[in-house]
mmCIF file of all heavy atoms in Angstrom:
data_model
loop_
_atom_site.group_PDB
_atom_site.id
_atom_site.type_symbol
_atom_site.label_atom_id
_atom_site.label_comp_id
_atom_site.label_asym_id
_atom_site.label_seq_id
_atom_site.Cartn_x
_atom_site.Cartn_y
_atom_site.Cartn_z
ATOM 1 N N ASP X 576 7.161 60.663 -14.085
ATOM 2 C CA ASP X 576 8.236 60.384 -13.171
ATOM 3 C C ASP X 576 7.844 60.926 -11.753
ATOM 4 O O ASP X 576 6.867 61.696 -11.611
ATOM 5 C CB ASP X 576 9.547 60.948 -13.635
ATOM 6 C CG ASP X 576 9.524 62.484 -13.717
ATOM 7 O OD1 ASP X 576 9.244 63.117 -12.713
ATOM 8 O OD2 ASP X 576 9.807 63.013 -14.835
ATOM 9 N N ASP X 577 8.637 60.481 -10.805
ATOM 10 C CA ASP X 577 8.150 60.676 -9.426
ATOM 11 C C ASP X 577 8.118 62.112 -8.994
ATOM 12 O O ASP X 577 7.199 62.512 -8.290
ATOM 13 C CB ASP X 577 9.092 59.903 -8.499
ATOM 14 C CG ASP X 577 8.866 58.403 -8.684
ATOM 15 O OD1 ASP X 577 7.697 57.935 -8.463
ATOM 16 O OD2 ASP X 577 9.807 57.715 -9.122
ATOM 17 N N ALA X 578 9.104 62.918 -9.495
ATOM 18 C CA ALA X 578 9.146 64.309 -9.161
ATOM 19 C C ALA X 578 7.843 64.936 -9.595
ATOM 20 O O ALA X 578 7.235 65.722 -8.868
ATOM 21 C CB ALA X 578 10.336 65.001 -9.783
ATOM 22 N N ARG X 579 7.415 64.583 -10.846
ATOM 23 C CA ARG X 579 6.209 65.172 -11.373
ATOM 24 C C ARG X 579 4.980 64.692 -10.589
ATOM 25 O O ARG X 579 4.103 65.539 -10.265
ATOM 26 C CB ARG X 579 6.143 64.678 -12.875
ATOM 27 C CG ARG X 579 4.923 65.202 -13.596
ATOM 28 C CD ARG X 579 5.378 66.296 -14.623
ATOM 29 N NE ARG X 579 4.097 66.848 -15.183
ATOM 30 C CZ ARG X 579 3.587 67.961 -14.726
ATOM 31 N NH1 ARG X 579 4.104 68.635 -13.759
ATOM 32 N NH2 ARG X 579 2.458 68.413 -15.267
ATOM 33 N N LYS X 580 4.962 63.415 -10.261
ATOM 34 C CA LYS X 580 3.810 62.959 -9.492
ATOM 35 C C LYS X 580 3.685 63.703 -8.177
ATOM 36 O O LYS X 580 2.659 64.143 -7.776
ATOM 37 C CB LYS X 580 3.989 61.442 -9.145
ATOM 38 C CG LYS X 580 3.425 60.533 -10.161
ATOM 39 C CD LYS X 580 3.442 59.091 -9.612
ATOM 40 C CE LYS X 580 4.326 58.226 -10.502
ATOM 41 N NZ LYS X 580 4.495 56.852 -9.966
ATOM 42 N N LYS X 581 4.856 63.876 -7.516
ATOM 43 C CA LYS X 581 4.921 64.478 -6.260
ATOM 44 C C LYS X 581 4.389 65.886 -6.288
ATOM 45 O O LYS X 581 3.562 66.356 -5.525
ATOM 46 C CB LYS X 581 6.351 64.560 -5.757
ATOM 47 C CG LYS X 581 6.646 63.592 -4.612
ATOM 48 C CD LYS X 581 8.035 63.743 -4.096
ATOM 49 C CE LYS X 581 9.008 62.741 -4.691
ATOM 50 N NZ LYS X 581 10.388 62.927 -4.370
ATOM 51 N N SER X 582 4.900 66.623 -7.353
ATOM 52 C CA SER X 582 4.533 68.017 -7.458
ATOM 53 C C SER X 582 3.075 68.222 -7.801
ATOM 54 O O SER X 582 2.371 69.086 -7.294
ATOM 55 C CB SER X 582 5.446 68.802 -8.397
ATOM 56 O OG SER X 582 4.954 68.654 -9.766
ATOM 57 N N ILE X 583 2.507 67.274 -8.555
ATOM 58 C CA ILE X 583 1.102 67.369 -8.843
ATOM 59 C C ILE X 583 0.272 67.084 -7.609
ATOM 60 O O ILE X 583 -0.658 67.788 -7.319
ATOM 61 C CB ILE X 583 0.727 66.338 -9.992
ATOM 62 C CG1 ILE X 583 1.340 66.747 -11.320
ATOM 63 C CG2 ILE X 583 -0.813 66.178 -10.052
ATOM 64 C CD1 ILE X 583 1.200 65.783 -12.402
ATOM 65 N N MET X 584 0.637 66.090 -6.884
ATOM 66 C CA MET X 584 -0.116 65.744 -5.635
ATOM 67 C C MET X 584 -0.039 66.877 -4.673
ATOM 68 O O MET X 584 -1.013 67.261 -4.013
ATOM 69 C CB MET X 584 0.449 64.514 -4.947
ATOM 70 C CG MET X 584 -0.180 63.206 -5.444
ATOM 71 S SD MET X 584 -1.934 63.300 -5.774
ATOM 72 C CE MET X 584 -2.653 63.522 -4.160
ATOM 73 N N GLU X 585 1.074 67.538 -4.617
ATOM 74 C CA GLU X 585 1.282 68.659 -3.722
ATOM 75 C C GLU X 585 0.362 69.801 -4.139
ATOM 76 O O GLU X 585 -0.386 70.407 -3.267
ATOM 77 C CB GLU X 585 2.706 69.177 -3.694
ATOM 78 C CG GLU X 585 3.372 68.860 -2.366
ATOM 79 C CD GLU X 585 4.866 68.840 -2.475
ATOM 80 O OE1 GLU X 585 5.387 69.465 -3.476
ATOM 81 O OE2 GLU X 585 5.516 68.217 -1.641
ATOM 82 N N SER X 586 0.346 70.090 -5.395
ATOM 83 C CA SER X 586 -0.523 71.181 -5.928
ATOM 84 C C SER X 586 -1.958 70.885 -5.726
ATOM 85 O O SER X 586 -2.802 71.747 -5.388
ATOM 86 C CB SER X 586 -0.351 71.454 -7.459
ATOM 87 O OG SER X 586 1.054 71.413 -7.749
ATOM 88 N N PHE X 587 -2.322 69.574 -5.839
ATOM 89 C CA PHE X 587 -3.713 69.201 -5.664
ATOM 90 C C PHE X 587 -4.066 69.354 -4.192
ATOM 91 O O PHE X 587 -5.088 69.870 -3.790
ATOM 92 C CB PHE X 587 -3.911 67.769 -6.056
ATOM 93 C CG PHE X 587 -5.410 67.348 -6.141
ATOM 94 C CD1 PHE X 587 -6.301 67.978 -6.967
ATOM 95 C CD2 PHE X 587 -5.897 66.304 -5.316
ATOM 96 C CE1 PHE X 587 -7.656 67.581 -7.000
ATOM 97 C CE2 PHE X 587 -7.179 65.920 -5.353
ATOM 98 C CZ PHE X 587 -8.074 66.540 -6.141
ATOM 99 N N ARG X 588 -3.115 68.939 -3.293
ATOM 100 C CA ARG X 588 -3.439 69.067 -1.903
ATOM 101 C C ARG X 588 -3.555 70.550 -1.422
ATOM 102 O O ARG X 588 -4.345 70.899 -0.643
ATOM 103 C CB ARG X 588 -2.386 68.359 -1.082
ATOM 104 C CG ARG X 588 -2.941 67.873 0.187
ATOM 105 C CD ARG X 588 -2.092 67.034 1.072
ATOM 106 N NE ARG X 588 -1.278 66.105 0.381
ATOM 107 C CZ ARG X 588 -0.269 65.415 1.019
ATOM 108 N NH1 ARG X 588 -0.023 65.630 2.302
ATOM 109 N NH2 ARG X 588 0.458 64.551 0.369
ATOM 110 N N ASN X 589 -2.769 71.448 -2.130
ATOM 111 C CA ASN X 589 -2.838 72.842 -1.763
ATOM 112 C C ASN X 589 -3.930 73.554 -2.529
ATOM 113 O O ASN X 589 -3.997 74.823 -2.529
ATOM 114 C CB ASN X 589 -1.490 73.532 -2.078
ATOM 115 C CG ASN X 589 -0.346 72.832 -1.300
ATOM 116 O OD1 ASN X 589 -0.602 72.310 -0.229
ATOM 117 N ND2 ASN X 589 0.828 72.960 -1.818
ATOM 118 N N ASN X 590 -4.757 72.823 -3.253
ATOM 119 C CA ASN X 590 -5.896 73.389 -3.980
ATOM 120 C C ASN X 590 -5.412 74.374 -5.110
ATOM 121 O O ASN X 590 -6.164 75.233 -5.534
ATOM 122 C CB ASN X 590 -6.835 74.095 -3.046
ATOM 123 C CG ASN X 590 -8.203 74.235 -3.723
ATOM 124 O OD1 ASN X 590 -8.470 73.787 -4.837
ATOM 125 N ND2 ASN X 590 -9.131 74.866 -2.992
ATOM 126 N N GLU X 591 -4.171 74.183 -5.566
ATOM 127 C CA GLU X 591 -3.746 74.949 -6.766
ATOM 128 C C GLU X 591 -4.335 74.305 -7.965
ATOM 129 O O GLU X 591 -4.370 74.880 -9.064
ATOM 130 C CB GLU X 591 -2.255 75.004 -6.873
ATOM 131 C CG GLU X 591 -1.585 75.856 -5.712
ATOM 132 C CD GLU X 591 -0.183 75.321 -5.393
ATOM 133 O OE1 GLU X 591 0.456 74.683 -6.198
ATOM 134 O OE2 GLU X 591 0.258 75.592 -4.229
ATOM 135 N N ILE X 592 -4.646 73.023 -7.875
ATOM 136 C CA ILE X 592 -5.290 72.272 -8.939
ATOM 137 C C ILE X 592 -6.627 71.776 -8.321
ATOM 138 O O ILE X 592 -6.666 71.356 -7.219
ATOM 139 C CB ILE X 592 -4.443 71.020 -9.296
ATOM 140 C CG1 ILE X 592 -3.197 71.434 -10.011
ATOM 141 C CG2 ILE X 592 -5.237 70.038 -10.132
ATOM 142 C CD1 ILE X 592 -2.172 70.330 -10.210
ATOM 143 N N GLN X 593 -7.700 71.912 -9.125
ATOM 144 C CA GLN X 593 -8.973 71.505 -8.625
ATOM 145 C C GLN X 593 -9.419 70.154 -9.121
ATOM 146 O O GLN X 593 -10.242 69.479 -8.504
ATOM 147 C CB GLN X 593 -10.079 72.615 -8.934
ATOM 148 C CG GLN X 593 -9.928 73.891 -8.170
ATOM 149 C CD GLN X 593 -8.831 74.756 -8.678
ATOM 150 O OE1 GLN X 593 -8.618 74.890 -9.908
ATOM 151 N NE2 GLN X 593 -8.000 75.233 -7.759
ATOM 152 N N ILE X 594 -8.969 69.819 -10.361
ATOM 153 C CA ILE X 594 -9.380 68.584 -10.931
ATOM 154 C C ILE X 594 -8.240 67.718 -11.216
ATOM 155 O O ILE X 594 -7.234 68.133 -11.951
ATOM 156 C CB ILE X 594 -10.136 68.931 -12.242
ATOM 157 C CG1 ILE X 594 -11.468 69.682 -11.909
ATOM 158 C CG2 ILE X 594 -10.555 67.609 -12.958
ATOM 159 C CD1 ILE X 594 -12.036 70.342 -13.142
ATOM 160 N N LEU X 595 -8.335 66.481 -10.730
ATOM 161 C CA LEU X 595 -7.269 65.492 -11.004
ATOM 162 C C LEU X 595 -7.821 64.399 -11.863
ATOM 163 O O LEU X 595 -8.710 63.654 -11.424
ATOM 164 C CB LEU X 595 -6.740 64.992 -9.682
ATOM 165 C CG LEU X 595 -5.351 64.297 -9.708
ATOM 166 C CD1 LEU X 595 -4.310 65.331 -10.161
ATOM 167 C CD2 LEU X 595 -5.028 63.779 -8.353
ATOM 168 N N ALA X 596 -7.311 64.330 -13.089
ATOM 169 C CA ALA X 596 -7.729 63.180 -14.008
ATOM 170 C C ALA X 596 -6.641 62.103 -13.833
ATOM 171 O O ALA X 596 -5.488 62.370 -14.048
ATOM 172 C CB ALA X 596 -7.861 63.649 -15.459
#
Side-chain angles (χ1 to χ4, degrees):
D576 66 53
D577 292 299
R579 181 105 188 97
K580 270 192 243 173
K581 252 184 263 173
S582 83
I583 289 172
M584 270 326 289
E585 250 159 21
S586 316
F587 189 61
R588 209 173 321 171
N589 300 335
N590 200 3
E591 293 150 21
I592 290 168
Q593 288 76 44
I594 296 164
L595 199 60

